[in-house]
Amino acid sequence: KRRRERRLKRIRKAAEARDAAVQKVRGVQQEDCNDSLFAFLFLCQFLLVSMAAMAFGPAAIHDRLTGAMADQEGMEHDYNPFAGLQSDDIIVNGLYEPPKSDGGDVGGDLAGRGDERISYIDYVNVIQLICVASGYASISAIFALGFMMMISRNLLQAILIFTVVVCLLWSVLGLTLSNNFFIPVVGFLSLIISACYTWVVWDRIPFAATNLSVALKGMRRTLDIPLLGVCNLVATFAWTICWICAFFGASDYLWNEEELSNDWMVVVVLFFFFSYYWTTQVIKGVSQATVAGIIGHWWNITDEEHVPLCSSAFYSALSRTLFKGFGSICLGSLLLGPCLLMSRLCTFLRLAKPKIMRLWNPELPLPSHESGDNALNNDVISRHINQWSFSYIGLYGYSFWDAGYKASELFQARGWTHVVSDHLILSSMSMSTVVIGVCTACLGVIVSEVDGYSFTAAHKPLTSAFLISLLVGYYLSSAFLSIIQGSVSAILVCYAVAPVDLHANHPLLSKEMRTGWKQFWIQKK
């Protein structure tokens, strides 16, 4: 009995010490607007691309439509409703060679001009394909969210297994139906990577599933978060159309009218792709920071309190993110993606190494928690740039650099660094977006084949349709599902700061959280 009392006393003292350490590093509301320089740079590139879209896009589309309708005047009938809108290329560079197949796509006025360089862009086909791919990807992402909420407890297992199955089907279909070795090779590589990753993280799934389940159940209590996801879809789709008009229009003008050199054209192309990536990442960053603010409000209210659609918490979190944390999000959107990719790779290798060694020697012990903590704490980049940075920006308004550091200090004070740094949920969401992107790409190939679209100078329309639809499907679905990533990160931060508030306001979710964490700790001891 005395031994038990002494043990309980030590546990209480350790818990009090952890709570005192947490109180020292917990976030404090900030009032300043941080990292304003990066907000200015982002707005400059955004306005530059937008003005290019307005300057070049409408005129080019009008000219293309006018030329297409003129080509159609002499036609008697064609079953294809888009007949006459198809061109031979998105961008045609080089000497013109009339296609050998019957009913060529390019108008007859180009015949006999084999000594000229032809460069034009078919905006209509590209925009039509993007609209079809965007609609399918948006519907798929929304249904995926509903499916995730229904099977939240077994979601991670379903995602990992489904990803392996999709990669296997991709490989088999690529071998049987494609004459190009690229598709089956990519499929086999994806199959190997997904299977190895599933094997490495399988024993950590129950714990991560608990965090994901609580986050999804928290999202059910308010419609503001799904509404924010729909706003992400609309913003990403609008930006994609704007970017397409700007990129193709500016490239066409600079290449034909100004006859810009190849070296400068490379710079222009790189700038446009950088602009698209940065803007889509900012959309996701704003979403995750806003979700963190909404979760922070929900954390402090009871289950009995009704949260209406477009509540004051939604407007407050969104306005705080846009007016105070926008510069930090712009900076984070530049750095977070590459750093998280490297961190996920290092984490995978860290988790895989002991399992591979135990295959050769089953008597080897598993690595301790402290070794994982020390490895993570000694990484300066991971301490300042991590997946909780946007949550701290949305909850407290820190600068990007300080937000990541404060979050790392918080989890270090709790002793949870190794627990929350496995990136399993983030990787599973990435797999989901890749699957949606691949399905969207397959739809794009079907649309291109049925409607007779032809997109590339190499006369490989299926490859172009596949790549365009893949990118559209991936970026739209990742923008929508970023609300899940934001919810999980915010739940972990709030649980580290105030677990008692979760127990007082949401006892059922608190019980689920404590049960999952307790089982994980017992398993790892």
Side-chain angles (χ1 to χ4, degrees):
K1 184 178 179 180
R2 290 181 179 178
R3 184 180 302 174
R4 181 183 178 186
E5 290 179 353
R6 288 195 298 268
R7 180 173 177 272
L8 292 176
K9 187 176 181 180
R10 287 196 301 269
I11 293 175
R12 282 195 295 268
K13 286 185 177 180
E16 291 174 358
R18 284 195 299 269
D19 290 337
V22 168
Q23 294 301 321
K24 293 180 180 179
V25 299
R26 66 180 300 172
V28 179
Q29 289 293 339
Q30 307 294 307
E31 300 297 333
D32 298 332
C33 297
N34 301 301
D35 303 316
S36 301
L37 173 62
F38 292 93
F40 173 75
L41 295 176
F42 172 80
L43 292 176
C44 287
Q45 66 85 24
F46 179 81
L47 291 175
L48 182 60
V49 174
S50 300
M51 289 188 292
M54 291 186 290
F56 302 115
I61 293 175
H62 178 268
D63 292 342
R64 182 66 189 127
L65 284 173
T66 303
M69 289 185 289
D71 292 340
Q72 284 184 326
E73 289 180 356
M75 295 183 180
E76 297 179 358
H77 178 71
D78 196 306
Y79 71 95
N80 184 0
F82 299 114
L85 299 184
Q86 295 87 347
S87 68
D88 196 41
D89 306 298
I90 291 176
I91 303 177
V92 184
N93 293 318
L95 297 180
Y96 173 72
E97 295 180 4
K100 298 179 181 180
S101 58
D102 294 336
D105 294 323
V106 183
D109 60 318
L110 297 177
R113 293 170 58 183
D115 57 342
E116 294 187 23
R117 184 184 72 175
I118 304 169
S119 177
Y120 69 90
I121 299 163
D122 190 347
Y123 301 85
V124 177
N125 284 0
V126 178
I127 293 177
Q128 286 175 348
L129 182 63
I130 289 175
C131 291
V132 173
S134 299
Y136 176 81
S138 300
I139 295 174
S140 299
I142 293 173
F143 274 101
L145 177 61
F147 180 76
M148 291 175 182
M149 288 185 173
M150 288 190 295
I151 61 165
S152 56
R153 289 294 302 174
N154 301 315
L155 176 61
L156 294 180
Q157 294 94 327
I159 290 177
L160 293 174
I161 294 174
F162 183 71
T163 303
V164 173
V165 172
V166 169
C167 292
L168 178 60
L169 292 176
W170 184 359
S171 304
V172 173
L173 293 177
L175 284 175
T176 56
L177 301 179
S178 176
N179 296 324
N180 191 343
F181 74 94
F182 176 77
I183 294 178
V185 167
V186 173
F188 276 117
L189 289 177
S190 302
L191 176 62
I192 294 173
I193 294 173
S194 58
C196 292
Y197 183 81
T198 301
W199 171 67
V200 169
V201 303
W202 191 261
D203 59 338
R204 303 179 71 92
I205 287 179
F207 169 74
T210 299
N211 301 327
L212 180 59
S213 175
V214 172
L216 290 173
K217 290 176 180 178
M219 290 172 57
R220 295 179 190 173
R221 309 300 173 88
T222 171
L223 294 176
D224 287 338
I225 297 179
L227 173 64
L228 186 61
V230 175
C231 294
N232 289 349
L233 289 175
V234 174
T236 306
F237 172 74
W239 170 245
T240 301
I241 296 297
C242 176
W243 183 86
I244 284 292
C245 294
F247 174 57
F248 287 157
S251 300
D252 193 20
Y253 174 78
L254 294 175
W255 185 255
N256 291 321
E257 301 296 333
E258 299 296 330
E259 297 184 355
L260 203 64
S261 64
N262 290 334
D263 294 337
W264 281 108
M265 281 302 301
V266 170
V267 174
V268 171
V269 170
L270 291 177
F271 165 76
F272 272 102
F273 277 96
F274 168 77
S275 174
Y276 185 80
Y277 169 79
W278 193 9
T279 304
T280 53
Q281 293 300 110
V282 167
I283 293 173
K284 293 167 59 176
V286 170
S287 170
Q288 294 183 35
T290 305
V291 167
I294 297 173
I295 291 293
H297 173 76
W298 167 81
W299 197 266
N300 297 309
I301 63 174
T302 62
D303 290 332
E304 288 75 18
E305 297 184 48
H306 177 66
V307 181
L309 182 64
C310 298
S311 63
S312 59
F314 173 78
Y315 289 113
S316 176
L318 183 59
S319 61
R320 183 171 61 248
T321 299
L322 292 178
F323 292 107
K324 293 184 178 180
F326 188 69
S328 300
I329 291 174
C330 292
L331 172 59
S333 300
L334 283 175
L335 303 177
L336 193 59
C339 291
L340 277 185
L341 181 61
M342 295 300 299
S343 178
R344 289 160 64 181
L345 179 60
C346 294
T347 301
F348 172 76
L349 296 177
R350 177 173 60 85
L351 296 176
K353 182 178 179 180
K355 289 201 169 187
I356 295 175
M357 295 178 64
R358 282 173 64 86
L359 288 177
W360 299 101
N361 188 0
E363 298 180 357
L364 286 176
L366 290 174
S368 64
H369 288 168
E370 287 76 10
S371 62
D373 278 347
N374 293 333
L376 292 168
N377 292 334
N378 292 332
D379 187 353
V380 177
I381 296 179
S382 297
R383 286 180 62 83
H384 288 272
I385 305 175
N386 50 61
Q387 57 186 317
W388 313 294
S389 300
F390 287 149
S391 297
Y392 248 71
I393 293 172
L395 288 169
Y396 303 112
Y398 283 102
S399 66
F400 175 75
W401 193 254
D402 292 337
Y405 181 74
K406 290 289 184 181
S408 299
E409 281 191 324
L410 173 65
F411 291 116
Q412 183 180 357
R414 283 288 184 190
W416 295 353
T417 304
H418 69 285
V419 176
V420 297
S421 300
D422 57 6
H423 302 289
L424 175 54
I425 297 176
L426 179 61
S427 299
S428 299
M429 293 300 105
S430 299
M431 290 181 179
S432 300
T433 57
V434 170
V435 169
I436 295 176
V438 171
C439 294
T440 307
C442 294
L443 176 66
V445 170
I446 295 173
V447 170
S448 175
E449 186 70 16
V450 171
D451 287 334
Y453 288 167
S454 184
F455 290 104
T456 64
H459 299 290
K460 295 181 179 179
L462 298 185
T463 303
S464 298
F466 182 88
L467 294 176
I468 293 172
S469 302
L470 176 66
L471 293 177
V472 171
Y474 174 79
Y475 277 106
L476 260 73
S477 59
S478 64
F480 182 79
L481 296 180
S482 65
I483 60 177
I484 299 179
Q485 301 174 17
S487 298
V488 173
S489 298
I491 288 289
L492 290 174
V493 170
C494 292
Y495 192 62
V497 172
V500 177
D501 292 345
L502 179 64
H503 179 71
N505 298 322
H506 313 283
L508 295 179
L509 296 182
S510 176
K511 181 180 179 180
E512 181 180 351
M513 199 83 164
R514 286 187 287 110
T515 301
W517 283 58
K518 182 179 179 180
Q519 292 176 352
F520 178 80
W521 283 102
I522 292 176
Q523 178 185 358
K524 290 297 181 181
K525 287 297 183 181

